[in-house]
Amino acid sequence: MKVALLTMFSGLSPTYSLVNVAADQIRMLLEAGVSVKMLVSETCPDGERTGIFADERLEWVKITNTLHGQPIQWHDYSSPTGQVHDTFFEEADHIAKDFVTHLKDVDVCILHDILYQGWHLVHNIAVRKAQQELPHLRFLAFTHSFPAARPQEMEYPFSARFTDLPRTKFVYPTRSGIPALARQYDVPEGRCAVVYNTLPLIPSMSEAVQTVARHMDLTRPDLLAVYPARLTTGKRLEKVAALAGAIRTATEQDIKVIFCDFPSADIPPKVYKAMIRTEGKKYGLRDEDLLFTSGIGFPDGFPRQGVFELFQLSNLFICPSYSESFGLTVLEAASRGNFLVLNQAVPALKELGESLGAYFMRWDARNFGFDTHESYSPSEQAYYEEHGRAIVNLMREDRSLNAKTIVRNQYNDEWICHNQLLPLLEG
């Protein structure tokens, strides 16, 4: 399949929101293996092609914006009646020929505000003329502003802003706008569809986080837990894996755990990692649910900025540490809106947790002048599963946390591409 994005951009400044929308769609389609062609105005400067716009997989096409050697001036024809300038239809015919030339090898053409904006009326008419010579071509017509009220009186060509385009799906970024969109073009609501604007969290993050994303899906999990810790038994990484496994077993939630680990002299890293994985499996965690950043190119520790970024994506922080003097990672996780699960038996964690509204569990701990040792009845597994169910329920009831999780799950490139955009392309 080959897809064209017809934007008629005359510049690529990211301050223009539609430039970012187009960039996100190009990224989604290329990653899905779709051939993509980008159609812009011939006045669009090549020097502004950066990021995804400079990707070698993207075919870049400039559509004419001159007639008889003179620049075509775009006029804002937002009124439903009036009079167009003298060369309007000649310009439309000239542009239409270019559209036909460059859309012959395309299956679906995505129009961004071409049918909606008054200053694109000449391109609107050109698309309709070109369509007559491209019977195989289907269109997705995106509207990015509030749909225009359908006027009672209209004159051609102004009426094109309110007229159906055959073989076209009309697309809006929210469901609430679909009835108004259908009224604007006088089409059934069944001819309309929703494609969200994406929030490209991971593409905007550091290369370190993107490396993690290449080894583990960071967008789909219901629960994503990040634990930055030295590979020492005192940090109790195996307890994090065990609780995560019990949560998965008790609630059937998809949970992933990322250890931003760094070596310790206390125990050989290879030995301790094996222990952590074994403990996780014992309680229900799968191999693919657990990741050590030291195993993907960061043997001496994960960048601090990357840890902050991972906390922006995660929603669960588990700290069963044996001892802490302060617990800075607790503050870091809390500052990024994570649900905190802390070891109540550690004084520093209890003090911090009480002020931050943390959820407490009990693990062995070093206290001032004595150590504590926990026993679980009827079993440690039952203890973890009971608390796991409670944790999941509390997280669901937290509106802010729930919103953070939904944004990560459903407003990312992959979800939107596979659940909304690709189905429309496939007809």
Side-chain angles (χ1 to χ4, degrees):
M1 174 179 286
K2 192 167 190 176
V3 173
L5 272 76
L6 201 169
T7 65
M8 295 307 294
F9 288 155
S10 55
L12 298 172
S13 171
T15 59
Y16 181 33
S17 61
L18 188 49
V19 169
N20 300 314
V21 172
D24 293 338
Q25 287 188 356
I26 291 168
R27 185 184 303 107
M28 286 189 281
L29 293 171
L30 290 177
E31 291 304 312
V34 177
S35 297
V36 183
K37 178 184 287 192
M38 179 78 168
L39 277 60
V40 299
S41 171
E42 69 172 307
T43 60
C44 189
D46 288 335
E48 294 187 12
R49 289 184 64 187
T50 59
I52 197 66
F53 293 122
D55 194 295
E56 61 183 12
R57 296 170 294 177
L58 177 64
E59 187 177 346
W60 194 259
V61 175
K62 290 190 173 184
I63 298 298
T64 184
N65 197 55
T66 56
L67 181 67
H68 306 314
Q70 296 298 315
I72 293 174
Q73 298 295 321
W74 300 354
H75 299 263
D76 188 2
Y77 292 120
S78 296
S79 173
T81 60
Q83 192 170 20
V84 295
H85 59 279
D86 292 344
T87 56
F88 178 89
F89 290 106
E90 189 178 5
E91 291 167 2
D93 288 340
H94 188 59
I95 295 168
K97 290 177 183 177
D98 233 12
F99 284 161
V100 171
T101 298
H102 294 293
L103 293 175
K104 282 181 178 178
D105 61 341
V106 170
D107 300 295
V108 180
C109 180
I110 297 176
L111 305 173
H112 282 292
D113 270 349
I114 299 298
L115 302 188
Y116 176 83
Q117 296 291 1
W119 62 75
H120 279 313
L121 184 63
V122 68
H123 305 113
N124 184 337
I125 297 300
V127 165
R128 294 171 187 276
K129 289 176 178 288
Q131 189 190 47
Q132 297 172 18
E133 299 183 43
L134 301 167
H136 69 286
L137 186 62
R138 292 184 294 113
F139 290 88
L140 298 181
F142 278 73
T143 294
H144 297 282
S145 301
F146 198 85
R150 186 174 179 81
Q152 292 184 345
E153 295 184 10
M154 295 177 282
E155 297 175 354
Y156 182 82
F158 307 95
S159 58
R161 295 186 59 239
F162 307 94
T163 302
D164 184 15
L165 181 68
R167 303 192 302 279
T168 298
K169 275 275 191 180
F170 295 88
V171 186
Y172 200 69
T174 58
R175 296 194 188 284
S176 59
I178 292 299
L181 186 70
R183 287 194 298 271
Q184 176 176 344
Y185 294 104
D186 194 23
V187 296
E189 290 186 22
R191 289 273 307 283
C192 301
V194 174
V195 175
Y196 299 152
N197 291 340
T198 68
L199 180 63
L201 289 172
I202 294 172
S204 69
M205 292 181 176
S206 63
E207 180 57 33
V209 171
Q210 293 185 50
T211 299
V212 174
R214 287 191 284 270
H215 289 83
M216 174 179 277
D217 186 348
L218 302 180
T219 59
R220 273 190 234 176
D222 303 304
L223 304 176
L224 180 62
V226 174
Y227 190 38
R230 190 160 37 97
L231 277 172
T232 173
T233 54
K235 293 297 182 183
R236 299 294 169 88
L237 281 76
E238 73 278 9
K239 300 300 183 184
V240 176
L243 178 56
I247 289 174
R248 182 175 180 273
T249 298
T251 67
E252 297 185 350
Q253 292 282 289
D254 183 13
I255 184 168
K256 305 289 184 189
V257 180
I258 301 170
F259 291 119
C260 299
D261 59 305
F262 50 99
S264 165
D266 298 355
I267 185 172
K270 187 175 181 180
V271 172
Y272 192 31
K273 285 184 185 181
M275 290 171 54
I276 295 165
R277 287 194 178 277
T278 298
E279 197 72 1
K281 285 182 182 178
K282 174 182 171 184
Y283 287 88
L285 205 62
R286 301 167 300 182
D287 260 339
E288 62 267 29
D289 296 330
L290 194 155
L291 177 75
F292 294 94
T293 58
S294 61
I296 60 169
F298 303 93
D300 299 317
F302 197 69
R304 183 173 173 79
Q305 180 60 36
V307 172
F308 281 126
E309 291 174 337
L310 287 176
F311 276 144
Q312 286 179 236
L313 298 171
S314 63
N315 54 5
L316 177 62
F317 177 74
I318 304 168
C319 184
S321 182
Y322 184 68
S323 67
E324 293 288 342
S325 60
F326 182 70
L328 184 60
T329 55
V330 177
L331 294 182
E332 293 170 348
S335 72
R336 267 58 178 178
N338 284 261
F339 187 90
L340 307 176
V341 179
L342 307 180
N343 188 351
Q344 188 175 33
V346 174
L349 295 180
K350 185 173 186 290
E351 179 182 334
L352 268 181
E354 286 178 344
S355 67
L356 297 173
Y359 184 91
F360 288 110
M361 293 178 63
R362 294 192 68 89
W363 289 277
D364 295 349
R366 174 172 294 156
N367 218 301
F368 295 112
F370 61 93
D371 295 342
T372 62
H373 299 280
E374 302 297 325
S375 59
Y376 305 101
S377 178
S379 68
E380 191 169 1
Q381 173 104 25
Y383 178 77
Y384 288 165
E385 290 186 9
E386 177 186 355
H387 282 279
R389 284 188 286 268
I391 289 166
V392 168
N393 287 335
L394 287 170
M395 291 180 70
R396 283 176 178 151
E397 292 169 4
D398 187 317
R399 292 185 179 182
S400 296
L401 191 60
N402 196 39
K404 176 182 179 179
T405 304
I406 290 172
V407 167
R408 172 170 56 79
N409 288 162
Q410 294 187 16
Y411 292 88
N412 63 78
D413 289 1
E414 186 177 0
W415 192 94
I416 292 170
C417 185
H418 289 281
N419 290 278
Q420 294 182 329
L421 185 56
L422 288 182
L424 292 178
L425 296 178
E426 293 161 359

